[in-house]
Amino acid sequence: MSGVLRLTLHRELGSEVVQLVVGSERRLFPVHKKRLCSVSKLFDKVFNSSFAEAANGRIDLPTDTPETVSVFVTWLYGDHVRDMPIDDNNPGALDLYIDLYLFADAKRCEKLKNELMDTIRWGIDQGRLNFLFSHIKRIFDGTCSSCEAPIRTFCAAKIAYGLAEGDLDPRDVLALFKIGPDALEEYLSFQAAGHDHGNAGLISSTGEMEVDVTFSELQHHICVSYSTY
C-alpha cells in the first residue's frame, strides 16, 4: 500500500475502532468509529458523548441480527448498496433489504435508507423483487413515521394501487388499519396528496369500503436528500 493511499484511508477511516456487540450470540463487529459515526446520527451521538458506550468503545445491539449487521458493515466500507452480497434472484432478498432498512431507520442512517429505497423500487420495477402485503405490514410495524421512514409512504401507495387493481384483499387491509391506526393515517395522507387519475378503492376511517376515489400514477420521490454529518 502506497503512502498516499495509506494517508487517504487514515483520513477517511481514522484510527479508532469500536465494537458492535450483536444479538443473543453477542457477536463482535469491529468498525472504524469515524466511518460509523459519519453515516449514523445515533452512533455519532452514542460514541461522541459521555455515555458509557463512548468510554468503553462498544455498544450492545441485542435485538439486531448478525446477518443484518454483517451486510451493514459490508455496505459501510463499500459505500453503495450494489456492493452488498445480496442476490435479487433469491426469494429472501427483499426480506433482507427490509431488515436492513429497519436497522438503518433505527440507527438514523439516512444515506443507507435512500439507497435501499431506490434499490427496492428498481427491483420491483424490473420484476426481480415481489413486494407482498406481509412486507407492508412488517414495515408499518417496524417504523414510526413517514418523515423518518419515507418507505411508509411507498407502502401507502402500494395499498392504494393494490386495492385499485384488485391485487390486495380489502379484508387484509382493514385488519391492518384496525391494529395499526398509524397505517390508516399514512394511507389517508397519501390520498389527500392529490393523486387524482385512475380509480382506486378507499377504506374510510370508519372501516367501510367506498369507491370511485382517484389517484395519479406513482411518480413521487420517496427518498430524502443525502445527509452529511
Side-chain angles (χ1 to χ4, degrees):
M1 183 184 295
S2 70
V4 173
L5 180 56
R6 188 179 295 109
L7 180 60
T8 300
L9 287 175
H10 183 272
R11 203 176 282 135
E12 290 182 357
L13 302 178
S15 58
E16 189 174 356
V17 173
V18 295
Q19 300 279 353
L20 308 180
V21 187
V22 181
S24 57
E25 309 98 321
R26 298 188 61 78
R27 182 172 166 185
L28 296 179
F29 289 86
V31 294
H32 286 88
K33 173 183 170 180
K34 183 177 180 180
R35 182 69 168 174
L36 180 67
C37 294
S38 72
V39 301
S40 166
K41 292 180 180 179
L42 182 137
F43 288 129
D44 183 37
K45 183 175 182 178
V46 167
F47 285 117
N48 292 299
S49 67
S50 58
F51 296 158
E53 289 86 352
N56 298 332
R58 58 192 290 152
I59 183 172
D60 287 339
L61 304 174
T63 61
D64 294 309
T65 66
E67 292 76 17
T68 300
V69 176
S70 178
V71 179
F72 168 72
V73 172
T74 298
W75 171 83
L76 185 65
Y77 289 101
D79 203 31
H80 202 286
V81 168
R82 65 171 173 262
D83 296 324
M84 299 190 300
I86 300 177
D87 179 6
D88 285 352
N89 294 314
N90 184 327
L94 183 54
D95 291 306
L96 186 49
Y97 284 136
I98 292 173
D99 286 342
L100 198 57
Y101 190 100
L102 298 180
F103 175 90
D105 185 53
K107 308 309 183 278
R108 301 182 67 190
C109 185
E110 310 303 339
K111 182 178 181 182
L112 178 54
K113 286 194 290 185
N114 289 340
E115 291 186 17
L116 283 165
M117 190 67 255
D118 291 342
T119 300
I120 290 170
R121 291 189 64 176
W122 180 86
I124 293 171
D125 290 343
Q126 297 297 312
R128 296 166 64 95
L129 298 174
N130 188 18
F131 200 85
L132 304 175
F133 188 73
S134 59
H135 296 127
I136 293 175
K137 187 175 184 304
R138 272 191 64 211
I139 289 166
F140 278 123
D141 287 344
T143 57
C144 293
S145 74
S146 59
C147 292
E148 294 295 330
I151 196 172
R152 292 168 66 94
T153 305
F154 180 76
C155 289
K158 293 293 286 184
I159 291 174
Y161 290 106
L163 289 172
E165 299 297 323
D167 296 331
L168 293 180
D169 187 333
R171 292 170 296 184
D172 291 337
V173 179
L174 278 171
L176 172 65
F177 290 164
K178 286 178 180 177
I179 64 175
D182 57 328
L184 174 59
E185 182 178 347
E186 297 282 0
Y187 176 72
L188 295 176
S189 294
F190 176 77
Q191 291 180 341
H195 304 279
D196 53 7
H197 298 290
N199 294 322
L202 164 66
I203 295 178
S204 71
S205 57
T206 63
E208 299 297 326
M209 177 62 76
E210 301 173 3
V211 295
D212 297 328
V213 178
T214 56
F215 297 90
S216 64
E217 293 297 322
L218 180 59
Q219 297 292 342
H220 58 282
H221 292 281
I222 291 296
C223 297
V224 298
S225 300
Y226 278 27
S227 300
T228 55
Y229 309 116

mmCIF file with all atom_site columns, all heavy atoms in Angstrom, residues 54-68:
data_model
loop_
_atom_site.group_PDB
_atom_site.id
_atom_site.type_symbol
_atom_site.label_atom_id
_atom_site.label_alt_id
_atom_site.label_comp_id
_atom_site.label_asym_id
_atom_site.label_entity_id
_atom_site.label_seq_id
_atom_site.pdbx_PDB_ins_code
_atom_site.Cartn_x
_atom_site.Cartn_y
_atom_site.Cartn_z
_atom_site.occupancy
_atom_site.B_iso_or_equiv
_atom_site.pdbx_formal_charge
_atom_site.auth_seq_id
_atom_site.auth_comp_id
_atom_site.auth_asym_id
_atom_site.auth_atom_id
_atom_site.pdbx_PDB_model_num
ATOM 1   N N   . ALA A 1 54 ? -19.351 5.245   24.897 1.00 0.00 ? 54 ALA A N   1
ATOM 2   C CA  . ALA A 1 54 ? -18.236 6.016   24.358 1.00 0.00 ? 54 ALA A CA  1
ATOM 3   C C   . ALA A 1 54 ? -16.949 5.703   25.111 1.00 0.00 ? 54 ALA A C   1
ATOM 4   O O   . ALA A 1 54 ? -15.875 5.559   24.515 1.00 0.00 ? 54 ALA A O   1
ATOM 5   C CB  . ALA A 1 54 ? -18.550 7.511   24.444 1.00 0.00 ? 54 ALA A CB  1
ATOM 6   N N   . ALA A 1 55 ? -17.058 5.572   26.422 1.00 0.00 ? 55 ALA A N   1
ATOM 7   C CA  . ALA A 1 55 ? -15.880 5.269   27.232 1.00 0.00 ? 55 ALA A CA  1
ATOM 8   C C   . ALA A 1 55 ? -15.381 3.854   26.979 1.00 0.00 ? 55 ALA A C   1
ATOM 9   O O   . ALA A 1 55 ? -14.161 3.608   26.927 1.00 0.00 ? 55 ALA A O   1
ATOM 10  C CB  . ALA A 1 55 ? -16.202 5.455   28.713 1.00 0.00 ? 55 ALA A CB  1
ATOM 11  N N   . ASN A 1 56 ? -16.318 2.915   26.792 1.00 0.00 ? 56 ASN A N   1
ATOM 12  C CA  . ASN A 1 56 ? -15.939 1.509   26.594 1.00 0.00 ? 56 ASN A CA  1
ATOM 13  C C   . ASN A 1 56 ? -15.595 1.183   25.149 1.00 0.00 ? 56 ASN A C   1
ATOM 14  O O   . ASN A 1 56 ? -14.987 0.144   24.869 1.00 0.00 ? 56 ASN A O   1
ATOM 15  C CB  . ASN A 1 56 ? -17.078 0.590   27.048 1.00 0.00 ? 56 ASN A CB  1
ATOM 16  C CG  . ASN A 1 56 ? -17.381 0.733   28.526 1.00 0.00 ? 56 ASN A CG  1
ATOM 17  O OD1 . ASN A 1 56 ? -16.493 1.072   29.311 1.00 0.00 ? 56 ASN A OD1 1
ATOM 18  N ND2 . ASN A 1 56 ? -18.627 0.489   28.904 1.00 0.00 ? 56 ASN A ND2 1
ATOM 19  N N   . GLY A 1 57 ? -16.046 2.039   24.218 1.00 0.00 ? 57 GLY A N   1
ATOM 20  C CA  . GLY A 1 57 ? -15.796 1.768   22.812 1.00 0.00 ? 57 GLY A CA  1
ATOM 21  C C   . GLY A 1 57 ? -16.583 0.592   22.279 1.00 0.00 ? 57 GLY A C   1
ATOM 22  O O   . GLY A 1 57 ? -16.150 -0.072  21.332 1.00 0.00 ? 57 GLY A O   1
ATOM 23  N N   . ARG A 1 58 ? -17.765 0.338   22.824 1.00 0.00 ? 58 ARG A N   1
ATOM 24  C CA  . ARG A 1 58 ? -18.606 -0.757  22.356 1.00 0.00 ? 58 ARG A CA  1
ATOM 25  C C   . ARG A 1 58 ? -20.059 -0.471  22.680 1.00 0.00 ? 58 ARG A C   1
ATOM 26  O O   . ARG A 1 58 ? -20.370 0.230   23.635 1.00 0.00 ? 58 ARG A O   1
ATOM 27  C CB  . ARG A 1 58 ? -18.176 -2.090  22.959 1.00 0.00 ? 58 ARG A CB  1
ATOM 28  C CG  . ARG A 1 58 ? -18.191 -2.122  24.479 1.00 0.00 ? 58 ARG A CG  1
ATOM 29  C CD  . ARG A 1 58 ? -17.464 -3.362  24.994 1.00 0.00 ? 58 ARG A CD  1
ATOM 30  N NE  . ARG A 1 58 ? -18.184 -4.603  24.725 1.00 0.00 ? 58 ARG A NE  1
ATOM 31  C CZ  . ARG A 1 58 ? -17.591 -5.772  24.564 1.00 0.00 ? 58 ARG A CZ  1
ATOM 32  N NH1 . ARG A 1 58 ? -16.272 -5.860  24.589 1.00 0.00 ? 58 ARG A NH1 1
ATOM 33  N NH2 . ARG A 1 58 ? -18.300 -6.864  24.364 1.00 0.00 ? 58 ARG A NH2 1
ATOM 34  N N   . ILE A 1 59 ? -20.936 -1.035  21.867 1.00 0.00 ? 59 ILE A N   1
ATOM 35  C CA  . ILE A 1 59 ? -22.364 -0.848  22.080 1.00 0.00 ? 59 ILE A CA  1
ATOM 36  C C   . ILE A 1 59 ? -23.072 -2.181  21.869 1.00 0.00 ? 59 ILE A C   1
ATOM 37  O O   . ILE A 1 59 ? -22.757 -2.930  20.942 1.00 0.00 ? 59 ILE A O   1
ATOM 38  C CB  . ILE A 1 59 ? -22.939 0.225   21.129 1.00 0.00 ? 59 ILE A CB  1
ATOM 39  C CG1 . ILE A 1 59 ? -24.436 0.470   21.424 1.00 0.00 ? 59 ILE A CG1 1
ATOM 40  C CG2 . ILE A 1 59 ? -22.726 -0.141  19.671 1.00 0.00 ? 59 ILE A CG2 1
ATOM 41  C CD1 . ILE A 1 59 ? -25.019 1.646   20.665 1.00 0.00 ? 59 ILE A CD1 1
ATOM 42  N N   . ASP A 1 60 ? -24.013 -2.504  22.746 1.00 0.00 ? 60 ASP A N   1
ATOM 43  C CA  . ASP A 1 60 ? -24.802 -3.720  22.631 1.00 0.00 ? 60 ASP A CA  1
ATOM 44  C C   . ASP A 1 60 ? -25.998 -3.479  21.712 1.00 0.00 ? 60 ASP A C   1
ATOM 45  O O   . ASP A 1 60 ? -26.729 -2.496  21.870 1.00 0.00 ? 60 ASP A O   1
ATOM 46  C CB  . ASP A 1 60 ? -25.314 -4.168  23.997 1.00 0.00 ? 60 ASP A CB  1
ATOM 47  C CG  . ASP A 1 60 ? -24.208 -4.750  24.863 1.00 0.00 ? 60 ASP A CG  1
ATOM 48  O OD1 . ASP A 1 60 ? -23.175 -5.171  24.305 1.00 0.00 ? 60 ASP A OD1 1
ATOM 49  O OD2 . ASP A 1 60 ? -24.377 -4.781  26.097 1.00 0.00 ? 60 ASP A OD2 1
ATOM 50  N N   . LEU A 1 61 ? -26.206 -4.390  20.766 1.00 0.00 ? 61 LEU A N   1
ATOM 51  C CA  . LEU A 1 61 ? -27.353 -4.344  19.862 1.00 0.00 ? 61 LEU A CA  1
ATOM 52  C C   . LEU A 1 61 ? -28.079 -5.680  19.972 1.00 0.00 ? 61 LEU A C   1
ATOM 53  O O   . LEU A 1 61 ? -28.054 -6.512  19.052 1.00 0.00 ? 61 LEU A O   1
ATOM 54  C CB  . LEU A 1 61 ? -26.882 -4.090  18.422 1.00 0.00 ? 61 LEU A CB  1
ATOM 55  C CG  . LEU A 1 61 ? -26.035 -2.834  18.189 1.00 0.00 ? 61 LEU A CG  1
ATOM 56  C CD1 . LEU A 1 61 ? -25.522 -2.787  16.759 1.00 0.00 ? 61 LEU A CD1 1
ATOM 57  C CD2 . LEU A 1 61 ? -26.832 -1.574  18.511 1.00 0.00 ? 61 LEU A CD2 1
ATOM 58  N N   . PRO A 1 62 ? -28.753 -5.924  21.099 1.00 0.00 ? 62 PRO A N   1
ATOM 59  C CA  . PRO A 1 62 ? -29.322 -7.251  21.370 1.00 0.00 ? 62 PRO A CA  1
ATOM 60  C C   . PRO A 1 62 ? -30.470 -7.648  20.459 1.00 0.00 ? 62 PRO A C   1
ATOM 61  O O   . PRO A 1 62 ? -30.728 -8.835  20.260 1.00 0.00 ? 62 PRO A O   1
ATOM 62  C CB  . PRO A 1 62 ? -29.787 -7.136  22.824 1.00 0.00 ? 62 PRO A CB  1
ATOM 63  C CG  . PRO A 1 62 ? -30.033 -5.679  23.037 1.00 0.00 ? 62 PRO A CG  1
ATOM 64  C CD  . PRO A 1 62 ? -28.988 -4.979  22.210 1.00 0.00 ? 62 PRO A CD  1
ATOM 65  N N   . THR A 1 63 ? -31.191 -6.675  19.898 1.00 0.00 ? 63 THR A N   1
ATOM 66  C CA  . THR A 1 63 ? -32.355 -7.013  19.077 1.00 0.00 ? 63 THR A CA  1
ATOM 67  C C   . THR A 1 63 ? -32.025 -7.106  17.592 1.00 0.00 ? 63 THR A C   1
ATOM 68  O O   . THR A 1 63 ? -32.890 -7.454  16.787 1.00 0.00 ? 63 THR A O   1
ATOM 69  C CB  . THR A 1 63 ? -33.475 -5.974  19.275 1.00 0.00 ? 63 THR A CB  1
ATOM 70  O OG1 . THR A 1 63 ? -32.994 -4.681  18.876 1.00 0.00 ? 63 THR A OG1 1
ATOM 71  C CG2 . THR A 1 63 ? -33.921 -5.924  20.725 1.00 0.00 ? 63 THR A CG2 1
ATOM 72  N N   . ASP A 1 64 ? -30.795 -6.783  17.226 1.00 0.00 ? 64 ASP A N   1
ATOM 73  C CA  . ASP A 1 64 ? -30.383 -6.902  15.831 1.00 0.00 ? 64 ASP A CA  1
ATOM 74  C C   . ASP A 1 64 ? -29.767 -8.273  15.587 1.00 0.00 ? 64 ASP A C   1
ATOM 75  O O   . ASP A 1 64 ? -29.377 -8.971  16.525 1.00 0.00 ? 64 ASP A O   1
ATOM 76  C CB  . ASP A 1 64 ? -29.388 -5.791  15.476 1.00 0.00 ? 64 ASP A CB  1
ATOM 77  C CG  . ASP A 1 64 ? -30.021 -4.412  15.527 1.00 0.00 ? 64 ASP A CG  1
ATOM 78  O OD1 . ASP A 1 64 ? -31.079 -4.233  14.907 1.00 0.00 ? 64 ASP A OD1 1
ATOM 79  O OD2 . ASP A 1 64 ? -29.477 -3.522  16.207 1.00 0.00 ? 64 ASP A OD2 1
ATOM 80  N N   . THR A 1 65 ? -29.667 -8.659  14.326 1.00 0.00 ? 65 THR A N   1
ATOM 81  C CA  . THR A 1 65 ? -29.126 -9.970  13.988 1.00 0.00 ? 65 THR A CA  1
ATOM 82  C C   . THR A 1 65 ? -27.750 -9.825  13.353 1.00 0.00 ? 65 THR A C   1
ATOM 83  O O   . THR A 1 65 ? -27.477 -8.838  12.649 1.00 0.00 ? 65 THR A O   1
ATOM 84  C CB  . THR A 1 65 ? -30.046 -10.719 13.005 1.00 0.00 ? 65 THR A CB  1
ATOM 85  O OG1 . THR A 1 65 ? -30.056 -10.026 11.739 1.00 0.00 ? 65 THR A OG1 1
ATOM 86  C CG2 . THR A 1 65 ? -31.470 -10.815 13.548 1.00 0.00 ? 65 THR A CG2 1
ATOM 87  N N   . PRO A 1 66 ? -26.883 -10.818 13.558 1.00 0.00 ? 66 PRO A N   1
ATOM 88  C CA  . PRO A 1 66 ? -25.572 -10.792 12.905 1.00 0.00 ? 66 PRO A CA  1
ATOM 89  C C   . PRO A 1 66 ? -25.676 -10.718 11.388 1.00 0.00 ? 66 PRO A C   1
ATOM 90  O O   . PRO A 1 66 ? -24.833 -10.079 10.740 1.00 0.00 ? 66 PRO A O   1
ATOM 91  C CB  . PRO A 1 66 ? -24.926 -12.110 13.355 1.00 0.00 ? 66 PRO A CB  1
ATOM 92  C CG  . PRO A 1 66 ? -25.579 -12.417 14.667 1.00 0.00 ? 66 PRO A CG  1
ATOM 93  C CD  . PRO A 1 66 ? -27.001 -11.955 14.499 1.00 0.00 ? 66 PRO A CD  1
ATOM 94  N N   . GLU A 1 67 ? -26.707 -11.344 10.811 1.00 0.00 ? 67 GLU A N   1
ATOM 95  C CA  . GLU A 1 67 ? -26.866 -11.320 9.358  1.00 0.00 ? 67 GLU A CA  1
ATOM 96  C C   . GLU A 1 67 ? -27.073 -9.893  8.853  1.00 0.00 ? 67 GLU A C   1
ATOM 97  O O   . GLU A 1 67 ? -26.437 -9.459  7.879  1.00 0.00 ? 67 GLU A O   1
ATOM 98  C CB  . GLU A 1 67 ? -28.060 -12.190 8.946  1.00 0.00 ? 67 GLU A CB  1
ATOM 99  C CG  . GLU A 1 67 ? -27.880 -13.678 9.172  1.00 0.00 ? 67 GLU A CG  1
ATOM 100 C CD  . GLU A 1 67 ? -28.023 -14.102 10.620 1.00 0.00 ? 67 GLU A CD  1
ATOM 101 O OE1 . GLU A 1 67 ? -28.587 -13.313 11.430 1.00 0.00 ? 67 GLU A OE1 1
ATOM 102 O OE2 . GLU A 1 67 ? -27.578 -15.216 10.957 1.00 0.00 ? 67 GLU A OE2 1
ATOM 103 N N   . THR A 1 68 ? -27.947 -9.156  9.536  1.00 0.00 ? 68 THR A N   1
ATOM 104 C CA  . THR A 1 68 ? -28.214 -7.775  9.127  1.00 0.00 ? 68 THR A CA  1
ATOM 105 C C   . THR A 1 68 ? -27.000 -6.893  9.329  1.00 0.00 ? 68 THR A C   1
ATOM 106 O O   . THR A 1 68 ? -26.627 -6.111  8.444  1.00 0.00 ? 68 THR A O   1
ATOM 107 C CB  . THR A 1 68 ? -29.407 -7.205  9.918  1.00 0.00 ? 68 THR A CB  1
ATOM 108 O OG1 . THR A 1 68 ? -30.564 -7.998  9.673  1.00 0.00 ? 68 THR A OG1 1
ATOM 109 C CG2 . THR A 1 68 ? -29.692 -5.771  9.523  1.00 0.00 ? 68 THR A CG2 1
#
